[in-house]
Amino acid sequence: MRLDRFLATVKVGSRSEVKKLLKQGVVMVDGMVVKDGKTQIDEDTAVVTCAGQALHYQKYYYYLLHKPQGVISATQDRHKTVLDLLQPADFHPDLFPVGRLDKDTEGLLLLTNDGPLAHDLLSPKKHVAKVYYAKISGIVTEDEVAQFALGFAIDGGETVQPSELTVLSVDVPANTSEISLVIHEGKYHQVKRMFQAWGMKVTYLKRTQMADLTLGDLPLGQYRKLTAEEVDDLKNPE
C-alpha cells in the first residue's frame, strides 16, 4: 500500500494534510523518516509513526447497527443511507451493509468491508439464521405455521425455503397477529411476500438477530463495533 493512502486510511488527516505531514518529516516507517507518499509499505508489518505516535492499520471493520425506519440500506442514495449514521471517525469508504432492510424496516444490520464474510452470511447454502419480529394484518394460524415449515411458492414464481414461524399473539377482533420468523435466505422483500402469499400484510417488521448477533440494548439509530469474539464466531460458526 502507498504510504499516503495508509496515512489517510488510519485517519491521520485529509489528503492535503497528509502531504503536509510528510513534507514536515514527522512520518517514520520502521524507524526512518519518509517524505515520499508514493513509497510502498507492507501495511500489515510496517511500523509507522506520525509525530511519535504509532499508527495501526486495520483491514476490516465491523459495525452492528440498529437501523431505524426511513433510512436506506445502501452506500449511496439521494436519501439518507445507513452509512450516514456513522460518526466521521468510524466511516470508511469501502464499508457496505450486509444484505438490506427495506426503508420502512427496523432492526439489526451489519456494516463491514469484509466481502468474503458478507458472502458467507448471505449465501442460502450457509443456512445463516435471520430472525424477524412482525405485526401482521390478518390472523396467523397453525396452518400457516405448518406451511412455512415446508416452504412454498410466492409471487414471481419463486419458492422460499422452509422457515420457522411462531405465533406470539392474536387479536381476533382487530384481525391482527404478532409473529416471530426465522429464515435462512434473503430474497427481495421476502418476509412481506411470504405473508402476502397467504392474503396477509406485514404492517411492522424488525430484524432482531442474524447468526449469533443480537441487538441487545442497542438504542434505535445507534451502532457499535463488533467484538473480536463476535467476529470470530461469525467467521467460524459451530
Side-chain angles (χ1 to χ4, degrees), residues 136 143 209:
I136 309 295
D143 289 339
Q209 183 173 341

Side-chain angles (χ1 to χ4, degrees), residues 2-52:
R2 281 176 45 147
L3 179 57
D4 53 4
R5 184 185 170 200
F6 173 95
L7 294 171
T9 300
V10 298
K11 306 286 187 179
V12 163
S14 65
R15 191 172 299 179
S16 60
E17 289 170 336
V18 164
K19 287 182 179 180
K20 289 180 182 179
L21 291 169
L22 288 165
K23 190 175 181 179
Q24 291 168 4
V26 297
V27 177
M28 300 182 72
V29 179
D30 295 330
M32 298 180 62
V33 173
V34 180
K35 294 185 177 182
D36 185 358
K38 296 180 182 179
T39 301
Q40 293 287 334
I41 67 170
D42 185 331
E43 65 272 18
D44 294 319
T45 61
V47 178
V48 183
T49 62
C50 180

Side-chain angles (χ1 to χ4, degrees), residues 140-148 165-167:
V140 183
T141 70
E142 290 304 313
D143 289 339
E144 283 78 42
V145 171
Q147 290 294 334
F148 274 59
L165 173 62
T166 303
V167 181

Side-chain angles (χ1 to χ4, degrees), residues 5-223:
R5 184 185 170 200
F6 173 95
L7 294 171
T9 300
V10 298
K11 306 286 187 179
V12 163
S14 65
R15 191 172 299 179
S16 60
E17 289 170 336
V18 164
K19 287 182 179 180
K20 289 180 182 179
L21 291 169
L22 288 165
K23 190 175 181 179
Q24 291 168 4
V26 297
V27 177
M28 300 182 72
V29 179
D30 295 330
M32 298 180 62
V33 173
V34 180
K35 294 185 177 182
D36 185 358
K38 296 180 182 179
T39 301
Q40 293 287 334
I41 67 170
D42 185 331
E43 65 272 18
D44 294 319
T45 61
V47 178
V48 183
T49 62
C50 180
Q53 182 178 355
L55 305 176
H56 303 286
Y57 173 76
Q58 184 176 336
K59 184 175 183 180
Y60 293 130
Y61 297 86
Y62 309 89
Y63 301 107
L64 188 156
L65 170 70
H66 191 166
K67 177 193 170 300
Q69 294 184 10
V71 181
I72 307 297
S73 297
T75 56
Q76 289 184 327
D77 195 273
R78 60 191 179 92
H79 301 290
K80 189 174 186 178
T81 75
V82 290
L83 295 189
D84 293 326
L85 298 176
L86 296 176
Q87 295 295 320
D90 294 323
F91 176 81
H92 301 276
D94 55 351
L95 287 170
F96 58 87
V98 178
R100 66 188 304 275
L101 294 178
D102 299 338
K103 186 177 181 180
D104 61 350
T105 299
E106 297 178 0
L108 188 154
L109 189 64
L110 179 64
L111 307 177
T112 187
N113 58 346
D114 188 339
L117 176 63
H119 177 269
D120 285 346
L121 291 174
L122 296 174
S123 173
K125 295 180 181 179
K126 298 292 184 177
H127 299 286
V128 175
K130 304 171 188 70
V131 184
Y132 292 84
Y133 164 80
K135 295 179 181 179
I136 309 295
S137 177
I139 302 300
V140 183
T141 70
E142 290 304 313
D143 289 339
E144 283 78 42
V145 171
Q147 290 294 334
F148 274 59
L150 296 173
F152 54 91
I154 55 177
D155 60 293
E158 292 186 89
T159 301
V160 293
Q161 296 177 359
S163 56
E164 302 165 39
L165 173 62
T166 303
V167 181
L168 302 176
S169 67
V170 171
D171 187 334
V172 175
N175 192 40
T176 59
S177 307
E178 294 183 37
I179 63 92
S180 174
L181 178 66
V182 184
I183 62 176
H184 298 86
E185 53 187 339
K187 298 182 185 296
Y188 181 68
H189 287 185
Q190 180 171 337
V191 177
K192 295 177 181 178
R193 293 165 68 198
M194 289 173 79
F195 284 95
Q196 225 170 38
W198 300 97
M200 302 180 199
K201 182 179 180 181
V202 174
T203 58
Y204 173 82
L205 185 61
K206 179 175 186 174
R207 182 157 67 193
T208 59
Q209 183 173 341
M210 183 176 189
D212 289 330
L213 294 178
T214 61
L215 288 170
D217 57 1
L218 185 66
L220 186 66
Q222 299 298 308
Y223 67 94

